[in-house]
């Protein structure tokens, strides 16, 4: 299996003026979402992903997807050949800032995207046309979704110590904001006394070292670099905060793409699930592939873990519905859990359904 082969399709720059205008419109319409915020054969798996305008390449359906420096199953599925034998291929459209991904999926500028559940819920509440089609990453004690770092000389050791300090995370409206605020309030911290600022994950460690922030919440794979920094100390992970309930990072698709290309959605979900299962079975090999792709020193590459077969379950979604309601971000009853996701395109979800007893 040629797993060391390069990605099949090259990255392409986003048409700047057109995308910039539509991005601005989408962010306005969604209320600034995210800114305020193994072997290959018959592996169990399902998939999801994708970006913007749909084009046909011969008989192939090309789904637009960001080409970001991240640990992402779309890139791994492509490298591992899991789109081979299907009529669906990723078309990489260039780097897209994390806060823009769900707004762009919601308006159809990109066809698939992977961002946390609360962003999807908020987008749906605002009228965006998208749905979670596959589960993604999960939090394990040995493979957290995100980690919390301070400088060793900061004196910060407890939640209460963060009052009056500056906390950096990759966007408002997502896991880093809501999981953190929920945990801090449980420890009687006045979150209004904390200055929260947006710092991309790849810059968060350096921003902390240079004292521009006092605590940095960093996602894998970049959290590994902070873990190895001599002057930094890891306080917690999200597993410590909520046992991993808030760590599911799913794949969402634009509603129009789902309706017009259901077989392609099934292709993507299947490829993603295969890739997720492969990562779980081969965590070190996965680290090597991603480190090579994003040009990161392997020793600094934190690992990921994925939900088995990428089958979506309801507790992680309900967790964020409850948080968004308690935070006053959505009205009670505005969005139901079943509006947020579907396992319709995941063949492995059907295999997991209990079979009726034979009579």
């Amino acid at each position: 299996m040629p797993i060391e082969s390069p990605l099949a399709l090259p990255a392409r720059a986003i048409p700047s003026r057109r995308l910039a205008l539509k991005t601005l419109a989408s962010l306005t319409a969604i209320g600034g979402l995210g800114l305020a915020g193994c072997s290959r054969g018959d592996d169990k798996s399902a998939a999801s992903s994708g970006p913007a305008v749909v084009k046909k390449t011969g008989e192939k359906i090309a789904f637009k997807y960001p080409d970001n420096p991240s640990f992402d199953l779309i890139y791994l599925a492509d490298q591992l050949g899991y789109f081979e034998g299907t009529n669906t291929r990723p078309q990489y459209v260039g780097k897209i800032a994390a806060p823009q991904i769900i707004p762009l999926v919601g308006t159809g500028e990109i066809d698939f995207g992977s961002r946390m559940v609360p962003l999807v819920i908020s987008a749906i509440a605002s009228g965006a046309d998208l749905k979670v089609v596959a589960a993604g990453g999960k939090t394990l004690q040995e493979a957290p979704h995100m980690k919390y770092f301070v400088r060793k000389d900061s004196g910060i050791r407890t939640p209460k110590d963060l009052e009056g300090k500056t906390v950096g995370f990759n966007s408002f409206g997502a896991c880093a904001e809501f999981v953190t605020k929920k945990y801090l309030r449980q420890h009687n911290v006045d979150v209004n006394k904390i200055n929260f600022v947006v710092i991309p994950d790849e810059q968060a460690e350096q921003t902390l070292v240079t004292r521009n922030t006092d605590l940095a919440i960093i996602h894998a794979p970049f959290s590994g670099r902070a873990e190895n920094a001599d002057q930094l100390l890891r306080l917690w992970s999200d597993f410590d905060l909520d046992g991993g309930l808030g760590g599911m990072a799913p794949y969402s698709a634009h509603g129009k793409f789902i309706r017009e290309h259901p077989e392609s959605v099934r292709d993507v979900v299947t490829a993603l699930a295969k890739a997720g299962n492969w990562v779980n079975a081969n965590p070190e090999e996965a680290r090597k592939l991603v480190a090579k792709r994003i040009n990161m020193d392997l020793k600094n590459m934190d690992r990921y873990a994925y939900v088995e077969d990428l089958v979506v379950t309801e507790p992680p979604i309900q967790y964020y519905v409850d948080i968004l309601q308690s935070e006053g971000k959505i009205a009670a009853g505005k969005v139901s859990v079943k509006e947020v996701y579907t396992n319709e395109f995941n063949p492995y979800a059907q295999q997991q359904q209990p079979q009726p007893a034979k009579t």
Side-chain angles (χ1 to χ4, degrees), residues 125-259:
S126 298
D129 185 13
L130 78 165
K131 191 176 288 285
V132 168
V133 293
K138 67 177 178 180
T139 282
L140 301 176
Q141 188 167 23
E142 66 272 22
H145 176 70
M146 56 189 178
K147 298 177 181 178
Y148 294 69
F149 296 93
V150 296
R151 293 182 304 278
K152 289 179 180 178
D153 63 0
S154 68
I156 299 171
R157 297 294 184 271
T158 71
K160 196 71 174 175
D161 295 333
L162 291 173
E163 290 185 353
K165 301 299 193 296
T166 297
V167 172
F169 51 49
N170 68 351
S171 72
F172 284 94
C175 52
E177 178 184 7
F178 293 126
V179 169
T180 302
K181 287 182 176 179
K182 179 180 176 67
Y183 177 76
L184 293 177
R185 289 189 177 111
Q186 289 171 341
H187 289 78
N188 300 313
V189 176
D190 184 349
V191 297
N192 295 317
K193 293 182 178 179
I194 298 174
N195 178 32
F196 292 95
V197 297
V198 173
I199 307 290
D201 281 308
E202 58 266 38
Q203 300 173 19
E205 176 229 342
Q206 186 61 29
T207 304
L208 182 60
V209 168
T210 56
R211 301 179 182 273
N212 290 291
T213 57
D214 299 297
L215 179 142
I217 306 171
I218 310 177
H219 295 76
F222 300 101
S223 49
R225 192 167 57 199
E227 192 87 69
N228 292 328
D230 290 338
Q231 59 269 68
L232 300 185
L233 172 72
R234 185 195 347 164
L235 288 185
W236 318 297
S237 75
D238 62 309
F239 187 88
D240 300 320
L241 272 57
D242 64 11
L245 188 58
M248 186 180 78
Y251 288 81
S252 300
H254 182 53
K256 184 178 180 181
F257 189 94
I258 293 172
R259 294 185 293 272

Side-chain angles (χ1 to χ4, degrees), residues 68-341:
N68 285 351
S70 61
F71 200 131
D72 191 292
L73 291 181
I74 289 291
Y75 314 137
L76 285 170
D78 200 357
Q79 284 186 289
L80 294 166
Y82 292 147
F83 289 108
E84 294 174 11
T86 76
N87 290 323
T88 307
R89 295 290 186 274
Q91 179 182 345
Y92 302 115
V93 297
K95 184 176 180 179
I96 295 178
Q100 297 179 12
I101 291 175
I102 288 303
L104 291 176
V105 175
T107 59
E109 277 297 303
I110 56 178
D111 302 311
F112 290 82
S114 179
R115 290 284 281 141
M116 295 301 290
V117 174
L119 293 165
V120 180
I121 296 170
S122 296
I124 291 171
S126 298
D129 185 13
L130 78 165
K131 191 176 288 285
V132 168
V133 293
K138 67 177 178 180
T139 282
L140 301 176
Q141 188 167 23
E142 66 272 22
H145 176 70
M146 56 189 178
K147 298 177 181 178
Y148 294 69
F149 296 93
V150 296
R151 293 182 304 278
K152 289 179 180 178
D153 63 0
S154 68
I156 299 171
R157 297 294 184 271
T158 71
K160 196 71 174 175
D161 295 333
L162 291 173
E163 290 185 353
K165 301 299 193 296
T166 297
V167 172
F169 51 49
N170 68 351
S171 72
F172 284 94
C175 52
E177 178 184 7
F178 293 126
V179 169
T180 302
K181 287 182 176 179
K182 179 180 176 67
Y183 177 76
L184 293 177
R185 289 189 177 111
Q186 289 171 341
H187 289 78
N188 300 313
V189 176
D190 184 349
V191 297
N192 295 317
K193 293 182 178 179
I194 298 174
N195 178 32
F196 292 95
V197 297
V198 173
I199 307 290
D201 281 308
E202 58 266 38
Q203 300 173 19
E205 176 229 342
Q206 186 61 29
T207 304
L208 182 60
V209 168
T210 56
R211 301 179 182 273
N212 290 291
T213 57
D214 299 297
L215 179 142
I217 306 171
I218 310 177
H219 295 76
F222 300 101
S223 49
R225 192 167 57 199
E227 192 87 69
N228 292 328
D230 290 338
Q231 59 269 68
L232 300 185
L233 172 72
R234 185 195 347 164
L235 288 185
W236 318 297
S237 75
D238 62 309
F239 187 88
D240 300 320
L241 272 57
D242 64 11
L245 188 58
M248 186 180 78
Y251 288 81
S252 300
H254 182 53
K256 184 178 180 181
F257 189 94
I258 293 172
R259 294 185 293 272
E260 292 184 351
H261 304 285
E263 287 306 313
S264 289
V265 177
R266 177 176 286 262
D267 287 343
V268 174
V269 173
T270 302
L272 288 180
K274 287 181 178 180
N277 289 345
W278 182 86
V279 171
N280 289 344
N282 302 276
E284 290 307 306
E285 188 64 25
R287 288 178 63 243
K288 291 176 184 177
L289 287 179
V290 177
K292 182 177 180 180
R293 182 185 183 276
I294 68 175
N295 194 30
M296 177 182 280
D297 192 325
L298 181 60
K299 71 179 182 181
N300 292 327
M301 171 68 55
D302 252 352
R303 60 166 288 199
Y304 257 78
Y306 290 93
V307 175
E308 183 181 2
D309 295 334
L310 296 199
V311 176
V312 182
T313 58
E314 296 192 355
I317 300 175
Q318 187 66 61
Y319 172 84
Y320 281 115
V321 168
D322 293 343
I323 285 180
L324 288 168
Q325 289 178 174
S326 67
E327 292 279 344
K329 301 298 183 181
I330 62 171
K334 178 70 174 179
V335 178
S336 70
V337 171
K338 292 190 181 301
E339 289 180 78
V340 177
Y341 81 100

